[in-house]
Amino acid sequence: MCGVIGLLTRREVGPDLVEGLLALQHRGQDSAGVLTSDGTFHLKKGNGTVGSVFNPKNLGRLTGTAGIGQVRYPTIGPGSVEDAQPFYVNHPFGVAMVHNGNVTNYFDLRRELMCEDFRQLTSFSDVEPLLNVFAEGLERTDLKHFSPASVFKAVRGVFDRAHGAYSVVALIHGRGLLAFRDPFGIKPLVFSQQGDEFAFASESVAFDRLGFHGFTDVKPGEAIFVDFKGKVHRSQIQPGTPRPCIFEFVYFARPDSVIDGIEVYEARLRLGERLAREVARQGLKPDVIVPVPDTARAAASSLASALGVELREGLIKNRYIARTFIMHGQDRRALSVRQKLNPVRSQVQGRDVLLVDDSIVRGTTSREIVQMVRDAGARRVFMAITAPPLRCPCVYGIDMMTRGEFVAKSRTVEQIRKVIGADALVYQTYEGLIEAVAGPQPGTRNSQPATRQFCTACFNGEYPTGVTRRYLAQMERERKRWPK
Ligand code: SF4
């Protein structure tokens, strides 16, 4: 999971790209990069957060009124600085590219490009094959008579050869800014126009910081090309079959973003309301509800209202510690939980506490949190999860690739409860998840749920693009080769 941004404006874009990446920092903290164009490409990228990669000196070199940027959360390869985005090729024109997602035929595509098309790849980033396939497609068009049609033809070539999830922003030197989204639209991508200024970003929250008002989604299977004269060209390259990642609404996206027309914060409130029904069904009567910060806050507040139980900030987060989900390695994750969270003794002591969290992946974090609250004097500790059990690896860009890592893979809810040491464990139902995220049918208030489909593969193993066992095994081998 990564964050991407692209800007074409009338002013210097370097500072705005960095500002936009700061708003998308939650989507990846492994590396950050920006490429701008003022007639020449200027590139700065490196491992680390936006704040650690950019400084006034290197920002001063990022001149130009068009540019792209990315924050990376590595999904494949060693995660070295060579894999930091943006990437660019010199021919044709000079094309730079960033992406969010994961190309599921990456290994085959890489081999084809290197052995059959004789292209040299320098990294293990899956944007590099996308970039090379696109550049190859563009090369085959009539370069002297460049047109948006040439761009769209090259995008079609990418759709034909690359499988998986990819939301892409690219800069074609001297020609324009391009964005496209795979036919399932698994990863988010939004577009905004403010007069003669244009922006693309993974989440709408980036636009709020940059003064862009109003936006549309780049549709699944669609490409949008903004030429340097400021004309917008849109083309539905392949029919879209929308399957946006449902986990964005549960965990990953910022609550102040709107993705595919759904307010993330509202979706989380509905998840809490639905979860309250499951808690009531189990007959649990907690004295206090405590969200596990930060993602579960909205759901915990609506759950507390629905149950008529008081909500308390019983766990305080040290905001200077990275998100545990993104921290690599089991030991480091467990350690970071204690570094990151601390209980408020007065709020939990002698009480039956219901902790609300968004998901359980390996169980390490939940076990630490339950024990921490128990150590702080809670009488009983219940756990409620706003999503159903995670059981299958995400092949589209979230780092939970190994099948054996899921605590829920071959355990019942009761067995998971024992693993995490809670007195009760309640999960959201699958139907509750879908209905809560989809929200009500427009104009029907809360009665009728909207009929929408999502990628829910990590809950039920139904991958929108289809995934072979061979690919899953290959991913696991690669993960072992480059342990995180
Ligand atoms: S498998 Fe899960 S995390 Fe991955 S894209 Fe699908 S819903 Fe999102």
Side-chain angles (χ1 to χ4, degrees), residues 9-32:
T9 69
R10 296 277 160 214
R11 56 211 149 96
E12 290 293 315
V13 289
D16 281 354
L17 286 167
V18 170
E19 187 72 35
L21 288 182
L22 279 171
L24 300 174
Q25 184 76 84
H26 61 290
R27 301 188 67 85
Q29 299 153 3
D30 219 66
S31 75

Side-chain angles (χ1 to χ4, degrees), residues 1 186-187 244-248 390 392-398 400 455-459 463-464:
M1 197 75 75
I186 295 171
K187 299 297 165 188
C245 166
I246 205 158
F247 209 58
E248 291 276 353
L390 282 168
C392 301
C394 174
V395 299
Y396 303 124
I398 289 193
M400 47 183 180
C455 174
T456 53
C458 46
F459 302 108
Y463 296 94

